[in-house]
Amino acid sequence: MPAYSTNMRLKFPILALTLEIITIILYAIFVTYDDGKSSHDDHASNKSHTEENPLSLYPMFQDVHVMIFIGFGFLMTFLKKYGFSSVGINLLLAAFGLQWGLLMQNFWHMDKDGKIKVSIEKMINADFSTATVLISFGAVLGKTSPVQLLLMTLLEITTFCINEHLVVEVLGASDIGASMTIHAFGAYFGLAVARMLYRPALRNGHENDGSVYHSDLFAMIGTVFLWMFWPSFNSAIASAGYPQQTAIINTYFSLAASALSAYATSSLLEHKGKLDMVHIQNATLAGGVAVGTCADMNIGPFGAMLIGLIAGVISTVGFKFLTPILASSLGIQDTCGVHNLHGMPGILGGLAGIVAAALGKKEDIKPTMQAAGLASSLGFALVGGAITGLLMKLPLWGQPPDQNCFDDSIYWEVPEEEEENEESLAHADHSKNKAEA
Amino acid sequence: MPAYSTNMRLKFPILALTLEIITIILYAIFVTYDDGKSSHDDHASNKSHTEENPLSLYPMFQDVHVMIFIGFGFLMTFLKKYGFSSVGINLLLAAFGLQWGLLMQNFWHMDKDGKIKVSIEKMINADFSTATVLISFGAVLGKTSPVQLLLMTLLEITTFCINEHLVVEVLGASDIGASMTIHAFGAYFGLAVARMLYRPALRNGHENDGSVYHSDLFAMIGTVFLWMFWPSFNSAIASAGYPQQTAIINTYFSLAASALSAYATSSLLEHKGKLDMVHIQNATLAGGVAVGTCADMNIGPFGAMLIGLIAGVISTVGFKFLTPILASSLGIQDTCGVHNLHGMPGILGGLAGIVAAALGKKEDIKPTMQAAGLASSLGFALVGGAITGLLMKLPLWGQPPDQNCFDDSIYWEVPEEEEENEESLAHADHSKNKAEA
Amino acid sequence: MPAYSTNMRLKFPILALTLEIITIILYAIFVTYDDGKSSHDDHASNKSHTEENPLSLYPMFQDVHVMIFIGFGFLMTFLKKYGFSSVGINLLLAAFGLQWGLLMQNFWHMDKDGKIKVSIEKMINADFSTATVLISFGAVLGKTSPVQLLLMTLLEITTFCINEHLVVEVLGASDIGASMTIHAFGAYFGLAVARMLYRPALRNGHENDGSVYHSDLFAMIGTVFLWMFWPSFNSAIASAGYPQQTAIINTYFSLAASALSAYATSSLLEHKGKLDMVHIQNATLAGGVAVGTCADMNIGPFGAMLIGLIAGVISTVGFKFLTPILASSLGIQDTCGVHNLHGMPGILGGLAGIVAAALGKKEDIKPTMQAAGLASSLGFALVGGAITGLLMKLPLWGQPPDQNCFDDSIYWEVPEEEEENEESLAHADHSKNKAEA
């Protein structure tokens, strides 16, 4: 089919290498090591971690790093034929995204000699910026080419950095765990892209759009690492000391509560009270998303648990009822259900932040600032995502045809299973060969 | 069969949500953040970590967290049809258990204003309390419903906290890596429950009670993460500085020695000297269990290695010879062989602690105190487990019928493999579909 | 076949237990805990970490530990029938190797009372020493017995420690991330062993020497953990503070650049521009290897990215073109392609170190010292590997026959797939059983 030029042999290497070489040139001009001597104006930290020890945040950085590369990567391996792309393209996009994000985030924070001074905290923020792309990737998973996705990475991270600057530094909203600026933003950006890339032929599902037993277990690797390290995500750039401890504690308890409510709701909604893996893989994490904005606020452990409890319910209900409606009525085909894990819980987090601000749970923040931050994040996401989706729709980027969606073999060399070559052999032998598959 | 009301649709959500809401109410009344200002009386630490930096233990907390959620969860995925339950119910029980454990452990340690002040150290202890349940879960794996297991979590953690308080604070025994209070306790509690839930029909095994090639590899994820982070488990609540380093070093070498002796013993006992995955997945960890009580004592690296060497042998021999005898003669069907990994090595650890106390390897401990601690742990485990098992036996908790044991599909929506729906298709097509399974 | 005595029942347990018991005796004589009071002469650290806090390096130790046991172990699970050996024998060799390495590395650094005082830094170095063996293991994967491999571990670590002492302390070369002393050394040692163990019958490949879909996903667990934690590997023993931060930053960016160039090159070289999992699993890591020697030097983030960019290209090209030539022309059958991941990028790292020394990027190092370090590492590797390979070739070590290569079942009890026992059942039943396989 001429409309689908899915051969990546030239366009993908050229785009990837061009982006990398441009990035290296920009780094040669603008980026150097932090030496602890520059004036710190990192927006998120009242007290600089690096004054004491430049490596004090390194263990948290590694937790976040694991969430980005193992967590997001394996979470998406639930599809039976799309595991290579899930974990592989996740690595590609994040590896480019962190380089690009560090540049974009810090053009606002250059040193007086015109240099961006890389520190562990800046590496954490760079990793954060890629999370937006990986969330959006979940919405369009299985329906996009690596070239389209590199393009999305470039545009989304740029948009994210503008919105983040606006929300946190211009508006002065508080969003320590980024419910608004990462989760809601990433989800609605991805949903806007998905809307633009709507595929009518997939209205009734696709035979590859499902899991098998072991692919669901691979996905649980992602889920559990995300679940465990989320306290680091929400606290990594909090002020050192007790505010950071508060962010850890709130996230720990919010996640625990959302796990319970996700399990309970899944069983309540399913046939014969059985648990649904999709809910468990995703809605158990909703507490981490929803407590993000309030994580470093004095909401009390029980407040965090309440937020988590509600998030787990909303997220599970969303998977059960809302995702099918979005697909059938609005033309938004959300492969991983990011609306349920990042979208609604992200908005819940933003709303909780407004309430917490009104109740005076953190100094120097106001409900109006918080509301403006949420509105800005949603606005940038929807407009940015729609424009990005339109650009991604251009046929030259190699979008896969409908029948090849959710299938690694269009962009990857996939190992041929033995039996395909041995169809004439006896059945018993086939069984034996397949046993190891 | 009317005796088995395995539909969880109402009873599971009601129990899970009720437990969570009660917990949230208790947290609203009793739990707040540690602000570093309260008088510290944490039993396990002579010198408070938190005086310097409230986050100094956070990297160790995360290691323990990984052991609880990835380590225990994936270790049990070795069963071919029970991976969803292994990693999924592990997450559920630990998420509830840590909330409950934090309450139960600290009712003895309230601040003067009647509050429990959460710190990273208390989060570590809360995670520890869940380990007892996850060990017992291994004994009854495949033969219990989520409702039964939530009930067990509630009762076992409560019992654990009473015994731990008695052993460590009343008797004054030393058990830094919890060979006695967690491992032996969890194992014998679980074995007592398993005895109460004895299923005569499973005397000759069950067709689902076994592994397939890839399920054994998933289990190795659990094994290796447990093996790597065990030094953190045994040292996390040790006194800061050199005692903590001693606990790390002893555990590091004990595990290394038990790996060698587990491999050697497995090969010695098996047909043609082949290695058995069950031994490797479990007995390589026995050194971590057995060195627990002595971990912060001055036993010398070679002393730790000796303990590990013996533990690896005992554990492997137990899997080969003792587990079948327990099942056939005593009616104790120990699915994961927790007696071999946690039970006997836990007792070995307790005995090693008695010897080390007699040899004066740590100040202020006496052999009698250590022996009393071991006896108390075993006593509480057996009595508590027996009572808990009796309660769990009530038919209303939805225990699975014999024929549905070790099978996720009774409590989970399991992806239908494609070929089941396509039985009329040609064989070659079947092969292709199954290839991805 | 009498030439292959692959029954391990006596020889493997005897060798493993003998090595362990000798090691324990040596530890009883020579090894004690670091108490912070000894005079520190750790070659690699200008400023001792342990003076402040003996545990300051512990989070980095754990990152390295994960690389050794999860990273290397799972990276090699790509083979469809050799996952047990990959992750299992990896654990065995590393568990013995770290005990042996700690002894060998520190016979040069005994305290004045004749004791080796174990610290976290010495544990990191012990883990490092095992990496050489695990790299060489990759070259001979699938073609060697556990007994042969234990022997290789003993000899290779001994050789490594002599060379490392020579390069770092006698020659005074700088190799903080060990591009030369670990990666190039381990690769060429393994290739020399592989040359000695050349199997003409495998010239045209072997039916088991390939992956299946899920084995490639298991391997990605290894890849991603190695990728994420490589900054810790390259910085763990760097001088505390900013030099350590520099090593982290350089490695972070080098890896990101090598990921982009590996993806681009893979697509460029493959049929229809598809990505090849072998390249992604390996060449994305080449940036970590190649930046090792220069990691703590002032090469600038862009310099690190350039090194990574080149390494990713070289490594991918090596997999595509050089590995087949080495096998067909030189008789070097390199199962995992360690020449491409560790060999060439290791030499690139050594050359980059010479250039950086010439450009004055680190104090007190000279190009000649660096060049001598590279030459020494290659020389010791090739000679040591050749002699070790000759010893390993002796028939009594139980090398597997050609037809049993790359197959776990020769040294492991492998779960029988159900359908093998049920060949007479109807096809539909077979399908159901296999579904979980």
Side-chain angles (χ1 to χ4, degrees):
Chain A
M1 236 187 331
Y4 296 101
S5 51
T6 59
N7 187 328
M8 296 283 117
R9 185 148 192 184
L10 286 179
K11 62 184 85 159
F12 174 72
I14 289 172
L15 178 62
L17 287 178
T18 305
L19 288 175
E20 184 60 41
I21 289 166
I22 290 172
T23 304
I24 293 178
I25 293 169
L26 290 172
Y27 271 62
I29 301 171
F30 291 116
V31 181
T32 184
Y33 311 110
D34 182 40
D35 54 6
K37 289 171 194 155
S38 62
S39 60
H40 279 275
D41 58 357
D42 294 336
H43 53 82
S45 52
N46 303 332
K47 175 187 164 188
S48 175
H49 289 274
T50 53
E51 275 167 31
E52 318 139 359
N53 173 0
L55 264 67
S56 62
L57 283 175
Y58 186 68
M60 284 206 166
F61 160 72
Q62 279 296 0
D63 293 350
V64 171
H65 215 42
V66 171
M67 293 176 73
I68 296 295
F69 290 91
I70 286 283
F72 282 103
F74 277 91
L75 183 60
M76 295 186 281
T77 58
F78 73 99
L79 290 172
K80 60 187 150 194
K81 293 187 175 181
Y82 210 64
F84 289 11
S85 298
S86 296
V87 69
I89 303 300
N90 187 84
L91 171 61
L92 171 72
L93 301 185
F96 172 64
L98 64 89
Q99 299 176 67
W100 190 250
L102 191 128
L103 280 176
M104 290 297 114
Q105 287 181 311
N106 293 291
F107 274 131
W108 325 92
H109 302 108
M110 290 225 194
D111 214 63
K112 49 187 167 287
D113 55 353
K115 290 284 184 188
I116 296 168
K117 297 198 165 181
V118 184
S119 62
I120 306 297
E121 186 165 356
K122 286 201 169 64
M123 286 163 57
I124 293 172
N125 279 309
D127 267 35
F128 279 170
S129 75
T130 71
T132 59
V133 177
L134 305 179
I135 292 166
S136 303
F137 181 29
V140 298
L141 191 74
K143 299 168 296 193
T144 39
S145 75
V147 171
Q148 287 179 298
L149 291 166
L150 271 181
L151 190 71
M152 185 177 86
T153 304
L154 187 75
L155 297 174
E156 180 164 4
I157 286 185
T158 307
T159 315
F160 160 74
C161 292
I162 295 168
N163 178 60
E164 186 197 35
H165 183 75
L166 189 67
V167 170
V168 178
E169 304 199 38
V170 179
L171 298 173
S174 180
D175 193 24
I176 201 72
S179 304
M180 303 185 290
T181 52
I182 292 178
H183 295 288
F185 176 89
Y188 288 99
F189 193 102
L191 294 169
V193 171
R195 181 66 191 81
M196 292 298 133
L197 302 180
Y198 176 57
R199 289 172 181 263
L202 302 190
R203 250 175 329 205
N204 300 315
H206 189 292
E207 58 170 336
N208 295 335
D209 185 9
S211 67
V212 289
Y213 194 71
H214 278 172
S215 70
D216 271 325
L217 278 176
F218 279 112
M220 282 301 283
I221 298 173
T223 298
V224 178
F225 273 105
L226 287 170
W227 198 90
M228 295 186 300
F229 290 156
W230 214 294
S232 299
F233 192 96
N234 281 355
S235 70
I237 58 169
S239 303
Y242 290 102
Q244 199 163 27
Q245 183 189 265
T246 298
I248 290 168
I249 293 171
N250 283 338
T251 310
Y252 181 66
F253 287 118
S254 179
L255 285 161
S258 75
L260 269 282
S261 65
Y263 274 86
T265 312
S266 181
S267 170
L268 197 65
L269 298 180
E270 286 295 317
H271 177 63
K272 293 192 184 170
K274 293 187 183 184
L275 298 164
D276 188 317
M277 254 298 163
V278 172
H279 306 160
I280 303 311
Q281 283 159 1
N282 290 279
T284 53
L285 300 167
V289 174
V291 84
T293 300
C294 298
D296 64 343
M297 301 184 189
N298 183 27
I299 56 175
F302 83 97
M305 290 156 90
L306 267 180
I307 292 172
L309 185 84
I310 296 166
V313 174
I314 288 177
S315 183
T316 311
V317 170
F319 275 101
K320 185 75 181 172
F321 300 111
L322 205 53
T323 295
I325 294 174
L326 286 183
S328 60
S329 303
L330 298 180
I332 300 171
Q333 294 158 330
D334 177 5
T335 308
C336 294
V338 300
H339 187 239
N340 311 304
L341 172 50
H342 302 278
M344 292 190 295
I347 289 180
L348 175 63
L351 297 175
I354 296 170
V355 174
L359 297 173
K361 297 299 187 188
K362 186 177 176 181
E363 287 177 17
D364 298 329
I365 60 165
K366 292 180 196 155
T368 48
M369 287 146 51
Q370 295 300 116
L374 180 57
S376 170
S377 299
L378 296 176
F380 271 92
L382 290 170
V383 175
I387 295 170
T388 302
L390 276 175
L391 286 170
M392 287 167 70
K393 214 174 174 173
L394 297 177
L396 74 157
W397 310 123
Q399 176 168 293
D402 292 337
Q403 69 270 26
N404 297 103
C405 281
F406 312 109
D407 188 345
D408 278 331
S409 65
I410 189 167
Y411 301 120
W412 294 81
E413 301 284 348
V414 171
E416 280 185 50
E417 304 301 324
E418 290 171 23
E419 56 272 37
E420 294 188 45
N421 305 324
E422 298 167 24
E423 283 172 17
S424 60
L425 290 183
H427 174 238
D429 278 346
H430 276 255
S431 304
K432 200 167 169 190
N433 289 329
K434 269 168 287 179
E436 274 79 20
Chain B
M1 243 192 319
Y4 296 101
S5 51
T6 59
N7 187 329
M8 297 282 116
R9 186 147 190 184
L10 287 179
K11 61 184 86 161
F12 174 72
I14 289 172
L15 178 62
L17 287 178
T18 305
L19 288 174
E20 184 61 40
I21 288 166
I22 291 172
T23 304
I24 293 178
I25 293 169
L26 291 171
Y27 271 62
I29 302 170
F30 292 115
V31 182
T32 185
Y33 311 109
D34 182 41
D35 54 5
K37 288 170 195 155
S38 63
S39 60
H40 280 274
D41 58 358
D42 294 336
H43 55 80
S45 51
N46 302 332
K47 176 186 162 189
S48 175
H49 290 275
T50 54
E51 275 167 31
E52 317 140 358
N53 172 2
L55 265 66
S56 62
L57 283 175
Y58 186 67
M60 283 204 167
F61 161 72
Q62 279 295 0
D63 293 351
V64 171
H65 216 42
V66 172
M67 293 176 74
I68 296 295
F69 291 91
I70 287 283
F72 282 104
F74 277 91
L75 183 60
M76 296 187 281
T77 58
F78 74 99
L79 289 171
K80 60 188 150 192
K81 292 186 175 182
Y82 211 63
F84 289 12
S85 298
S86 296
V87 69
I89 303 300
N90 186 84
L91 171 60
L92 172 71
L93 302 184
F96 171 63
L98 64 90
Q99 299 176 67
W100 191 249
L102 191 126
L103 280 176
M104 291 297 114
Q105 286 180 312
N106 292 291
F107 274 132
W108 325 92
H109 302 106
M110 290 225 194
D111 214 63
K112 48 185 168 287
D113 55 353
K115 291 283 185 189
I116 296 167
K117 298 199 164 179
V118 184
S119 62
I120 307 297
E121 185 165 357
K122 287 201 169 62
M123 288 163 56
I124 293 172
N125 279 308
D127 267 35
F128 279 169
S129 76
T130 72
T132 60
V133 177
L134 305 179
I135 292 167
S136 302
F137 181 30
V140 299
L141 191 75
K143 299 168 297 193
T144 39
S145 76
V147 172
Q148 287 180 299
L149 291 166
L150 272 181
L151 190 71
M152 184 176 87
T153 304
L154 189 74
L155 298 174
E156 179 165 3
I157 287 184
T158 307
T159 315
F160 160 75
C161 292
I162 296 169
N163 178 60
E164 187 197 34
H165 183 74
L166 188 67
V167 170
V168 177
E169 305 199 38
V170 178
L171 297 173
S174 181
D175 194 23
I176 201 71
S179 303
M180 303 186 288
T181 53
I182 291 178
H183 295 288
F185 176 89
Y188 288 99
F189 193 103
L191 294 169
V193 171
R195 181 64 193 82
M196 292 298 133
L197 303 181
Y198 176 57
R199 290 171 182 264
L202 302 189
R203 250 176 326 207
N204 300 314
H206 189 292
E207 59 169 337
N208 295 334
D209 185 9
S211 67
V212 290
Y213 194 71
H214 279 172
S215 70
D216 271 325
L217 278 177
F218 278 113
M220 283 300 285
I221 297 173
T223 297
V224 178
F225 273 105
L226 287 170
W227 198 92
M228 294 186 301
F229 289 157
W230 215 294
S232 299
F233 192 97
N234 282 354
S235 69
I237 57 169
S239 304
Y242 290 103
Q244 200 162 27
Q245 183 190 267
T246 298
I248 290 168
I249 292 171
N250 283 338
T251 310
Y252 181 67
F253 287 118
S254 179
L255 285 161
S258 75
L260 270 281
S261 65
Y263 274 86
T265 312
S266 181
S267 170
L268 198 65
L269 298 180
E270 286 296 317
H271 176 64
K272 292 190 185 171
K274 292 186 183 185
L275 298 164
D276 188 317
M277 253 297 163
V278 173
H279 306 161
I280 302 311
Q281 283 159 1
N282 290 279
T284 52
L285 300 166
V289 173
V291 84
T293 300
C294 298
D296 63 343
M297 301 183 189
N298 184 25
I299 56 175
F302 83 98
M305 290 156 89
L306 266 180
I307 292 172
L309 185 84
I310 296 167
V313 173
I314 288 177
S315 183
T316 310
V317 170
F319 274 101
K320 185 76 181 173
F321 299 112
L322 204 53
T323 296
I325 294 174
L326 287 182
S328 60
S329 305
L330 299 179
I332 299 171
Q333 295 160 329
D334 177 6
T335 309
C336 294
V338 300
H339 187 240
N340 311 304
L341 173 49
H342 302 280
M344 292 190 295
I347 289 180
L348 176 64
L351 297 175
I354 297 170
V355 173
L359 297 174
K361 297 299 188 189
K362 187 177 176 182
E363 287 178 14
D364 299 328
I365 61 166
K366 291 180 197 153
T368 49
M369 287 146 50
Q370 295 300 118
L374 180 57
S376 171
S377 299
L378 296 176
F380 271 92
L382 290 170
V383 175
I387 295 170
T388 301
L390 276 175
L391 286 169
M392 287 167 70
K393 212 173 176 174
L394 297 177
L396 74 158
W397 308 124
Q399 176 167 293
D402 292 337
Q403 69 271 28
N404 297 104
C405 282
F406 313 108
D407 188 345
D408 278 331
S409 64
I410 189 167
Y411 301 120
W412 294 82
E413 301 284 349
V414 171
E416 280 184 49
E417 304 301 325
E418 288 169 25
E419 56 272 35
E420 295 187 45
N421 304 325
E422 297 169 23
E423 284 174 14
S424 60
L425 290 182
H427 173 239
D429 278 346
H430 276 255
S431 305
K432 200 170 171 188
N433 289 330
K434 268 167 288 180
E436 273 79 20
Chain C
M1 236 188 328
Y4 297 102
S5 51
T6 60
N7 187 329
M8 297 281 116
R9 187 150 192 183
L10 287 180
K11 62 184 84 161
F12 174 72
I14 289 172
L15 178 62
L17 287 178
T18 304
L19 287 175
E20 185 60 41
I21 289 167
I22 291 172
T23 304
I24 292 178
I25 294 170
L26 292 171
Y27 270 62
I29 302 171
F30 291 116
V31 180
T32 186
Y33 311 110
D34 183 40
D35 54 5
K37 289 171 194 154
S38 63
S39 60
H40 280 275
D41 57 359
D42 294 335
H43 54 81
S45 51
N46 302 332
K47 176 186 165 189
S48 174
H49 289 274
T50 55
E51 276 168 30
E52 318 139 358
N53 173 2
L55 265 66
S56 61
L57 283 176
Y58 186 67
M60 283 204 166
F61 160 72
Q62 279 295 2
D63 293 349
V64 171
H65 216 40
V66 171
M67 293 175 74
I68 296 295
F69 290 92
I70 286 284
F72 282 104
F74 277 90
L75 183 61
M76 295 187 281
T77 58
F78 73 98
L79 289 172
K80 60 188 153 194
K81 292 186 174 182
Y82 211 64
F84 289 11
S85 299
S86 296
V87 69
I89 303 300
N90 186 83
L91 171 59
L92 171 72
L93 302 185
F96 171 65
L98 64 89
Q99 299 176 68
W100 191 249
L102 191 127
L103 280 176
M104 291 297 114
Q105 286 181 313
N106 292 291
F107 274 131
W108 325 93
H109 302 107
M110 291 222 193
D111 215 61
K112 46 186 166 289
D113 55 354
K115 292 283 185 188
I116 295 167
K117 298 198 165 182
V118 183
S119 62
I120 306 297
E121 184 165 358
K122 286 201 169 63
M123 286 163 56
I124 293 173
N125 278 309
D127 267 35
F128 279 169
S129 76
T130 72
T132 59
V133 177
L134 305 179
I135 292 166
S136 302
F137 182 29
V140 298
L141 192 75
K143 299 168 298 192
T144 39
S145 76
V147 172
Q148 287 180 299
L149 291 166
L150 273 181
L151 190 73
M152 184 176 87
T153 304
L154 188 76
L155 297 175
E156 179 165 3
I157 287 185
T158 307
T159 314
F160 159 75
C161 292
I162 296 169
N163 179 60
E164 187 197 33
H165 182 75
L166 188 67
V167 170
V168 178
E169 303 199 40
V170 178
L171 297 174
S174 181
D175 194 24
I176 201 72
S179 304
M180 302 185 290
T181 52
I182 293 178
H183 295 288
F185 176 88
Y188 288 99
F189 193 102
L191 294 169
V193 172
R195 181 65 192 81
M196 292 298 134
L197 303 180
Y198 176 58
R199 289 171 182 265
L202 302 189
R203 248 175 329 204
N204 300 316
H206 189 292
E207 57 170 337
N208 295 335
D209 185 10
S211 66
V212 290
Y213 193 70
H214 279 172
S215 70
D216 270 325
L217 278 176
F218 279 112
M220 283 301 283
I221 298 173
T223 297
V224 178
F225 273 105
L226 287 170
W227 198 91
M228 293 185 302
F229 290 157
W230 214 293
S232 298
F233 192 96
N234 282 355
S235 69
I237 56 170
S239 304
Y242 290 102
Q244 201 163 25
Q245 182 189 266
T246 298
I248 290 167
I249 293 171
N250 283 339
T251 311
Y252 181 67
F253 287 119
S254 179
L255 284 161
S258 75
L260 269 282
S261 65
Y263 274 87
T265 311
S266 181
S267 170
L268 197 65
L269 298 181
E270 286 296 314
H271 176 65
K272 291 192 185 169
K274 293 188 182 184
L275 298 163
D276 188 317
M277 254 296 163
V278 173
H279 306 161
I280 303 311
Q281 284 159 1
N282 291 279
T284 53
L285 301 166
V289 174
V291 84
T293 299
C294 298
D296 64 343
M297 302 183 189
N298 184 27
I299 57 174
F302 84 97
M305 291 156 88
L306 265 181
I307 291 172
L309 184 85
I310 296 166
V313 173
I314 288 177
S315 183
T316 311
V317 170
F319 275 101
K320 185 75 181 174
F321 300 112
L322 204 53
T323 296
I325 293 174
L326 286 182
S328 60
S329 304
L330 299 180
I332 300 172
Q333 294 159 331
D334 177 7
T335 309
C336 294
V338 301
H339 187 240
N340 310 305
L341 172 49
H342 302 279
M344 292 190 295
I347 289 180
L348 175 63
L351 297 175
I354 297 170
V355 173
L359 296 174
K361 295 300 186 188
K362 187 177 176 182
E363 287 176 15
D364 299 328
I365 60 164
K366 291 181 198 155
T368 47
M369 287 145 52
Q370 295 301 116
L374 179 57
S376 171
S377 299
L378 297 176
F380 271 92
L382 291 170
V383 175
I387 295 170
T388 301
L390 275 175
L391 287 170
M392 289 168 70
K393 213 174 176 173
L394 297 177
L396 74 158
W397 309 123
Q399 175 167 293
D402 291 337
Q403 70 270 28
N404 296 104
C405 281
F406 312 109
D407 189 344
D408 278 331
S409 65
I410 189 166
Y411 301 119
W412 294 81
E413 300 284 347
V414 171
E416 280 185 48
E417 304 302 325
E418 290 170 24
E419 55 272 36
E420 295 188 43
N421 305 324
E422 298 168 23
E423 283 175 15
S424 59
L425 291 181
H427 174 239
D429 279 347
H430 276 256
S431 304
K432 201 170 170 188
N433 290 330
K434 270 168 288 180
E436 275 77 21

